[in-house]
């Protein structure tokens, strides 16, 4: 099978990063990945990795509302001889379903977001129309979490044709002693210091302000260094706040890294204290590095972090602070949760398993003999909290 994945761009923060991992695992699962982006993104690590996996992406230059969008996508997909179109995102859903119809091939769509915020009548009608269009034009729909599945059921009235398959990731590996030592030396921390890392993007809703509130509440004697390794529009504000607070400046440091996994592999704890999130990829990768997490109990996060692999807290600086203290003071707890996190990643999220599940969806959508029924592809057991 040759599967054409349609994305908005090859931005490393979008679906393309996961597709680069998928491209390497796809052949063993019986299919080949073709990635087409509607808009160019310049240099991206995802594009480089796709090329290395033998799936050099196609970048179009399709402006919003461009009437030629469908024809351009059809041309790109036809040139690669795709058997099925898999879309990721709002505009790719619209353009991709139309392109699939012209090519007379099935279309599969992955839900990457939940539109559950309050809406006026016009927004509600628009969301309902999109859901009905998805049911009409998509052969199969994939939710990345049980949370999305339940939301979709409320909006669409049923989950017919929908499967729950969380995005996977290539095994990031655990940190070697040398890698851990390099990070600690770079931070200038003592051997008994605990290093906690956040690599969440620094934008509204990701909760770094609440995390700083939590750190400010820590007892001063706790041997903890916190590294903020993400980036984004709020970075300067966060840096300014830390610089102006003596308690924070002595404990919090900022590190720009082209590879967040380097920070995660060297960390004792991963922090992900967002106010909302669906299935954050970096939290999944953190589990792969064997790093226990302190994370907020929102969105699809409880389907990644369990009581065995980390601590889930309410959206509250006080609760985050309490769990941090508990983890800092108990190295055996960190080790136990870290080992469980690594095991859970390999069992639930490792890319070869993801590829195999997607392969079953593709066979089903194409009507291949022996393909499982879509209802059998819902995997709530794989997502349940341990």
């Amino acid at each position: 099978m040759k599967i054409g994945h349609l994305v908005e761009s090859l931005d490393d923060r979008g679906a393309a990063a996961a597709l680069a991992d998928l491209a390497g695992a796809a052949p063993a699962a019986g299919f080949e990945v073709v990635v087409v982006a509607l808009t160019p993104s310049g240099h991206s690590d995802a594009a480089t990795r796709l090329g290395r996996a033998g799936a050099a992406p196609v970048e179009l230059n399709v402006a919003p509302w461009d009437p030629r969008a469908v024809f351009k996508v059809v041309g790109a997909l036809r040139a690669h001889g795709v058997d099925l179109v898999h879309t990721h995102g709002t505009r790719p859903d619209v353009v991709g379903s139309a392109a699939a119809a012209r090519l007379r091939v099935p279309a599969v769509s992955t839900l990457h977001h939940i539109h559950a915020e309050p809406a006026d009548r016009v927004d509600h009608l628009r969301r309902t129309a999109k859901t009905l269009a998805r049911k009409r034009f998509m052969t199969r729909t994939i939710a990345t979490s049980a949370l999305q599945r339940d939301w979709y059921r409320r909006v669409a009235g049923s989950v017919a044709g929908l499967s729950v398959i969380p995005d996977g990731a290539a095994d990031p590996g655990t940190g070697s002693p040398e890698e851990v030592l390099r990070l600690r030396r770079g931070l200038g921390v003592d051997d008994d210091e605990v290093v906690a890392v956040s690599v969440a993007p620094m934008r509204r809703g990701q909760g770094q302000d609440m995390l700083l509130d939590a750190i400010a509440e820590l007892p001063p004697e706790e041997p903890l260094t916190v590294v903020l390794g993400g980036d984004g529009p709020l970075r300067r504000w966060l840096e300014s706040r830390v610089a102006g607070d003596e308690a924070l400046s002595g404990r919090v440091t900022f590190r720009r890294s082209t590879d967040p996994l380097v920070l995660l592999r060297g960390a004792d704890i991963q922090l992900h204290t967002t106010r909302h999130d669906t299935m954050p990829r970096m939290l999944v990768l953190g589990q792969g590095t064997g790093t226990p997490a302190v994370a907020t109990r929102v969105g699809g996060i409880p389907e990644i972090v369990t009581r065995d692999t980390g601590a889930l807290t309410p959206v509250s600086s006080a609760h985050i602070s309490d769990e941090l203290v508990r983890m800092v003071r108990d190295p055996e707890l960190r080790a136990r949760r870290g080992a469980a996190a690594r095991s859970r990643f390999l069992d639930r999220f490792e890319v070869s398993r993801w590829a195999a599940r997607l392969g079953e969806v593709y066979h089903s959508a194409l009507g291949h003999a022996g393909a499982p029924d879509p209802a059998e592809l819902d995997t709530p057991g794989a997502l349940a909290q341990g």
Side-chain angles (χ1 to χ4, degrees):
M1 296 179 292
K2 188 172 286 189
I3 311 300
H5 289 264
L6 186 63
V7 297
E8 182 64 35
S9 75
L10 299 179
D11 190 322
D12 292 322
R13 295 168 295 180
L19 293 178
D21 286 350
L22 180 64
F31 62 94
E32 179 181 341
V33 167
V34 174
V35 177
V36 176
L38 293 175
T39 55
S41 57
H43 174 76
S44 77
D45 180 60
T48 301
R49 292 193 294 119
L50 281 165
R52 288 174 183 164
V58 178
E59 289 187 276
L60 304 176
N61 192 4
V62 179
W65 311 113
D66 187 337
R68 301 167 298 170
V70 173
F71 300 103
K72 289 183 177 181
V73 171
V74 165
L77 295 174
R78 180 177 282 144
H80 284 82
V82 304
D83 300 297
L84 180 148
V85 178
H86 189 158
T87 64
H88 305 267
T90 301
R91 193 161 69 124
D93 283 349
V94 175
V95 176
S97 60
R102 290 188 68 87
L103 291 167
R104 297 185 179 181
V105 300
V108 171
S109 172
T110 291
L111 292 167
H112 288 282
H113 303 287
I114 293 176
H115 301 289
E117 65 275 9
D120 59 26
R121 185 172 181 272
V122 174
D123 284 337
H124 180 73
L125 289 173
R126 186 181 294 118
R127 292 175 190 175
T128 301
K130 287 180 180 178
T131 302
L132 292 175
R134 180 187 294 275
K135 291 177 67 176
R136 169 67 178 81
F137 296 108
M138 294 297 177
T139 312
R140 299 283 184 270
T141 295
I142 296 173
T144 60
S145 68
L147 179 79
Q148 282 182 320
R149 177 198 58 201
D150 296 341
W151 167 79
Y152 187 83
R153 179 188 287 115
R154 291 194 300 272
V155 176
S158 77
V159 290
L162 181 138
S163 306
V164 181
I165 303 176
D167 286 354
D171 186 357
T174 57
S176 65
E178 293 78 16
E179 194 171 22
V180 174
L181 183 60
R182 279 196 302 272
L183 176 65
R184 299 182 72 87
R185 283 179 175 172
L187 295 172
V189 300
D190 296 332
D191 291 343
D192 62 347
E193 191 87 357
V194 175
V195 177
V197 168
S198 168
V199 293
M202 296 176 179
R203 59 174 182 256
R204 190 176 301 277
Q206 288 297 300
Q208 285 91 353
D209 57 330
M210 180 171 57
L211 175 59
L212 292 182
D213 289 342
I215 296 167
E217 296 173 20
L218 292 172
E221 67 274 10
E222 297 300 331
L224 174 68
T225 293
V226 176
V227 181
L228 298 185
D231 206 351
L234 293 183
R235 185 183 182 99
R236 287 190 177 182
W237 179 85
L238 293 167
E239 289 175 332
S240 175
R241 178 177 171 187
V242 169
D245 186 313
E246 185 175 346
L248 291 176
S249 61
R251 197 187 288 279
V252 178
T253 185
F254 292 81
R255 284 288 186 278
R256 293 184 186 273
S257 174
T258 56
D259 185 1
L261 292 177
V262 172
L263 296 177
L264 290 175
R265 283 192 288 259
D268 299 298
I269 301 168
Q270 180 180 10
L271 301 169
H272 198 87
T273 56
T274 181
R275 288 183 168 83
H276 53 77
D277 227 327
T278 306
M279 288 290 282
R281 173 176 168 81
M282 293 312 302
L283 194 52
V284 170
L285 287 167
Q287 286 207 327
T289 66
T291 307
V294 173
T296 41
R297 189 185 293 107
V298 298
I301 288 177
E303 298 173 38
I304 303 173
V305 179
T306 73
R307 64 177 66 90
D308 294 326
T309 69
L312 287 169
T313 80
V315 179
S316 156
S317 61
H319 285 89
I320 294 168
S321 182
D322 289 344
E323 289 297 343
L324 259 176
V325 169
R326 183 183 176 202
M327 291 271 273
V328 168
R329 293 179 179 178
D330 194 337
E332 291 185 3
L333 176 64
R334 294 198 305 271
R336 187 167 63 251
R337 283 177 165 172
R342 172 74 177 160
S343 178
R344 184 170 176 80
F345 171 85
L346 294 174
D347 184 51
R348 310 296 192 192
F349 301 107
E350 195 273 328
V351 69
S352 64
R353 293 180 176 272
W354 181 36
R357 292 170 186 160
L358 287 179
E360 292 178 336
V361 171
Y362 300 150
H363 281 297
S364 174
L366 287 162
H368 290 170
D373 182 89
E376 298 173 5
L377 298 174
D378 195 344
T379 55
L383 299 168
Q385 179 168 323

